[in-house]
Short mmCIF file of all heavy atoms in Angstrom, two decimals:
data_model
loop_
_atom_site.label_atom_id
_atom_site.label_comp_id
_atom_site.label_asym_id
_atom_site.label_seq_id
_atom_site.Cartn_x
_atom_site.Cartn_y
_atom_site.Cartn_z
N SER A 206 -0.99 -2.27 -8.72
CA SER A 206 -0.86 -3.58 -7.96
C SER A 206 -0.31 -4.61 -8.90
O SER A 206 -1.04 -5.05 -9.77
CB SER A 206 -2.06 -4.02 -7.21
OG SER A 206 -1.88 -5.23 -6.70
N LEU A 208 -0.03 -7.54 -8.49
CA LEU A 208 -0.85 -8.80 -8.42
C LEU A 208 -1.74 -9.00 -9.63
O LEU A 208 -1.96 -10.17 -9.95
CB LEU A 208 -1.81 -8.72 -7.13
CG LEU A 208 -2.56 -9.87 -6.72
CD1 LEU A 208 -1.67 -11.06 -6.39
CD2 LEU A 208 -3.42 -9.59 -5.53
N HIS A 231 3.10 -1.56 -6.45
CA HIS A 231 2.64 -2.07 -5.24
C HIS A 231 2.82 -3.63 -5.34
O HIS A 231 2.34 -4.28 -6.32
CB HIS A 231 1.09 -1.76 -5.15
CG HIS A 231 0.45 -2.22 -3.84
ND1 HIS A 231 0.56 -1.59 -2.64
CD2 HIS A 231 -0.40 -3.34 -3.59
CE1 HIS A 231 -0.01 -2.15 -1.71
NE2 HIS A 231 -0.70 -3.29 -2.20
N MET A 232 3.48 -4.20 -4.34
CA MET A 232 3.78 -5.62 -4.29
C MET A 232 3.09 -6.37 -3.21
O MET A 232 3.33 -6.05 -1.95
CB MET A 232 5.32 -5.85 -4.19
CG MET A 232 6.24 -4.98 -5.17
SD MET A 232 5.99 -5.28 -6.91
CE MET A 232 6.48 -7.02 -7.04
N ASP A 233 2.13 -7.22 -3.57
CA ASP A 233 1.30 -7.85 -2.56
C ASP A 233 2.05 -9.25 -2.06
O ASP A 233 2.00 -10.26 -2.86
CB ASP A 233 -0.06 -8.15 -3.16
CG ASP A 233 -0.96 -6.76 -3.14
OD1 ASP A 233 -1.08 -6.22 -2.08
OD2 ASP A 233 -1.30 -6.37 -4.25
N ILE A 234 2.41 -9.22 -0.89
CA ILE A 234 3.16 -10.46 -0.33
C ILE A 234 2.23 -11.15 0.58
O ILE A 234 1.79 -10.57 1.54
CB ILE A 234 4.48 -9.92 0.39
CG1 ILE A 234 5.34 -9.33 -0.67
CG2 ILE A 234 5.09 -11.10 1.09
CD1 ILE A 234 6.67 -8.67 -0.18
N MET A 235 1.77 -12.34 0.20
CA MET A 235 0.83 -13.11 0.92
C MET A 235 1.41 -14.51 1.34
O MET A 235 2.23 -15.05 0.54
CB MET A 235 -0.42 -13.27 0.12
CG MET A 235 -1.06 -12.01 -0.37
SD MET A 235 -2.65 -12.46 -1.25
CE MET A 235 -2.89 -10.83 -1.96
N ASP A 262 6.59 -0.85 -3.30
CA ASP A 262 5.69 -0.55 -2.17
C ASP A 262 5.23 -1.99 -1.75
O ASP A 262 4.16 -2.40 -2.12
CB ASP A 262 4.71 0.26 -2.63
CG ASP A 262 3.44 0.61 -1.60
OD1 ASP A 262 3.77 0.76 -0.43
OD2 ASP A 262 2.34 0.71 -2.20
N CYS A 263 5.87 -2.58 -0.72
CA CYS A 263 5.48 -4.00 -0.32
C CYS A 263 4.41 -3.99 0.76
O CYS A 263 4.58 -3.34 1.81
CB CYS A 263 6.78 -4.64 0.09
SG CYS A 263 7.88 -4.82 -1.20
N HIS A 264 3.38 -4.74 0.45
CA HIS A 264 2.26 -4.84 1.49
C HIS A 264 2.17 -6.24 1.93
O HIS A 264 1.97 -7.26 1.21
CB HIS A 264 1.00 -4.59 0.67
CG HIS A 264 -0.39 -4.79 1.39
ND1 HIS A 264 -1.59 -4.83 0.70
CD2 HIS A 264 -0.63 -4.88 2.64
CE1 HIS A 264 -2.52 -5.01 1.58
NE2 HIS A 264 -1.96 -5.03 2.76
N LEU A 265 2.60 -6.42 3.24
CA LEU A 265 2.85 -7.69 3.84
C LEU A 265 1.45 -8.32 4.49
O LEU A 265 1.13 -7.94 5.51
CB LEU A 265 3.87 -7.56 4.99
CG LEU A 265 5.29 -7.47 4.54
CD1 LEU A 265 5.81 -8.96 4.09
CD2 LEU A 265 5.57 -6.48 3.48
N MET A 266 0.95 -9.15 3.68
CA MET A 266 -0.34 -9.85 4.19
C MET A 266 0.12 -11.19 4.74
O MET A 266 -0.15 -12.17 4.11
CB MET A 266 -1.34 -9.97 3.13
CG MET A 266 -2.07 -8.64 2.86
SD MET A 266 -2.92 -8.49 1.30
CE MET A 266 -1.48 -8.14 0.27
N HIS A 288 0.56 -5.40 8.68
CA HIS A 288 -0.77 -5.29 9.22
C HIS A 288 -0.81 -5.20 10.80
O HIS A 288 -0.13 -5.93 11.43
CB HIS A 288 -1.66 -6.53 8.82
CG HIS A 288 -2.40 -6.24 7.54
ND1 HIS A 288 -3.69 -5.81 7.52
CD2 HIS A 288 -1.96 -6.35 6.24
CE1 HIS A 288 -4.10 -5.62 6.24
NE2 HIS A 288 -3.03 -5.93 5.45
N ALA A 313 -0.95 -1.27 7.88
CA ALA A 313 -2.24 -1.46 7.14
C ALA A 313 -3.37 -2.03 8.13
O ALA A 313 -3.04 -2.65 9.18
CB ALA A 313 -2.01 -2.51 6.12
N LEU A 337 -2.08 2.38 5.47
CA LEU A 337 -2.83 1.75 4.32
C LEU A 337 -4.24 1.31 4.91
O LEU A 337 -4.26 0.40 5.66
CB LEU A 337 -2.05 0.54 3.85
CG LEU A 337 -2.42 -0.12 2.49
CD1 LEU A 337 -1.53 -1.32 2.20
CD2 LEU A 337 -3.83 -0.57 2.44
N MET A 339 -7.39 -0.51 4.08
CA MET A 339 -7.90 -1.53 3.03
C MET A 339 -9.35 -1.29 2.81
O MET A 339 -10.12 -1.04 3.73
CB MET A 339 -7.87 -2.96 3.67
CG MET A 339 -6.44 -3.60 3.83
SD MET A 339 -5.53 -3.77 2.22
CE MET A 339 -6.59 -4.76 1.21
N VAL A 341 -11.00 -3.38 0.76
CA VAL A 341 -11.64 -4.68 0.54
C VAL A 341 -10.99 -5.65 1.52
O VAL A 341 -10.03 -5.25 2.17
CB VAL A 341 -11.28 -5.28 -0.98
CG1 VAL A 341 -11.74 -4.39 -2.09
CG2 VAL A 341 -9.70 -5.52 -1.09
N PRO A 343 -8.43 -8.21 2.45
CA PRO A 343 -7.19 -8.56 1.79
C PRO A 343 -7.18 -10.08 1.28
O PRO A 343 -7.83 -10.81 1.87
CB PRO A 343 -6.15 -8.33 2.82
CG PRO A 343 -6.82 -8.27 4.22
CD PRO A 343 -8.17 -7.82 3.90
N GLY A 344 -6.48 -10.17 0.23
CA GLY A 344 -6.35 -11.60 -0.39
C GLY A 344 -6.39 -11.70 -1.75
O GLY A 344 -5.67 -12.48 -2.34
N PHE A 345 -7.25 -10.83 -2.41
CA PHE A 345 -7.44 -11.02 -3.92
C PHE A 345 -7.69 -9.64 -4.56
O PHE A 345 -8.19 -8.78 -3.92
CB PHE A 345 -8.67 -11.98 -4.17
CG PHE A 345 -8.52 -13.29 -3.55
CD1 PHE A 345 -8.93 -13.56 -2.25
CD2 PHE A 345 -7.87 -14.24 -4.23
CE1 PHE A 345 -8.81 -14.81 -1.73
CE2 PHE A 345 -7.65 -15.53 -3.66
CZ PHE A 345 -8.12 -15.82 -2.42
N GLU A 371 -2.77 5.55 2.25
CA GLU A 371 -2.96 4.65 1.04
C GLU A 371 -4.21 4.04 1.14
O GLU A 371 -4.68 3.62 2.24
CB GLU A 371 -1.72 3.78 0.96
CG GLU A 371 -1.70 2.94 -0.32
CD GLU A 371 -0.38 2.19 -0.50
OE1 GLU A 371 -0.08 1.34 0.42
OE2 GLU A 371 0.38 2.48 -1.42
N VAL A 372 -4.91 3.80 0.02
CA VAL A 372 -6.09 3.07 -0.06
C VAL A 372 -5.82 1.93 -1.09
O VAL A 372 -5.08 2.07 -2.07
CB VAL A 372 -7.33 3.86 -0.55
CG1 VAL A 372 -7.87 4.70 0.60
CG2 VAL A 372 -7.07 4.78 -1.73
N ASP A 373 -6.44 0.77 -0.85
CA ASP A 373 -6.11 -0.46 -1.58
C ASP A 373 -7.28 -1.36 -1.65
O ASP A 373 -7.78 -1.80 -0.69
CB ASP A 373 -4.94 -1.17 -0.88
CG ASP A 373 -4.40 -2.41 -1.57
OD1 ASP A 373 -4.88 -2.72 -2.70
OD2 ASP A 373 -3.54 -3.09 -1.07
N GLY A 374 -7.73 -1.56 -2.83
CA GLY A 374 -8.77 -2.46 -3.17
C GLY A 374 -10.02 -1.79 -3.78
O GLY A 374 -10.67 -0.96 -3.27
N VAL A 393 -3.50 2.65 -4.73
CA VAL A 393 -3.24 1.33 -5.21
C VAL A 393 -4.38 0.87 -6.26
O VAL A 393 -5.45 1.07 -5.86
CB VAL A 393 -3.07 0.28 -4.13
CG1 VAL A 393 -2.83 -1.14 -4.77
CG2 VAL A 393 -2.14 0.55 -3.16
ZN1 ZN B 644 -2.10 -4.63 -1.47
#
Side-chain angles (χ1 to χ4, degrees):
S206 171
L208 186 60
H231 186 78
M232 309 300 296
D233 286 303
I234 295 175
M235 305 184 190
D262 174 37
C263 297
H264 175 196
L265 281 287
M266 285 160 277
H288 267 266
L337 192 180
M339 287 302 303
V341 298
F345 301 91
E371 186 170 64
V372 283
D373 183 8
V393 176

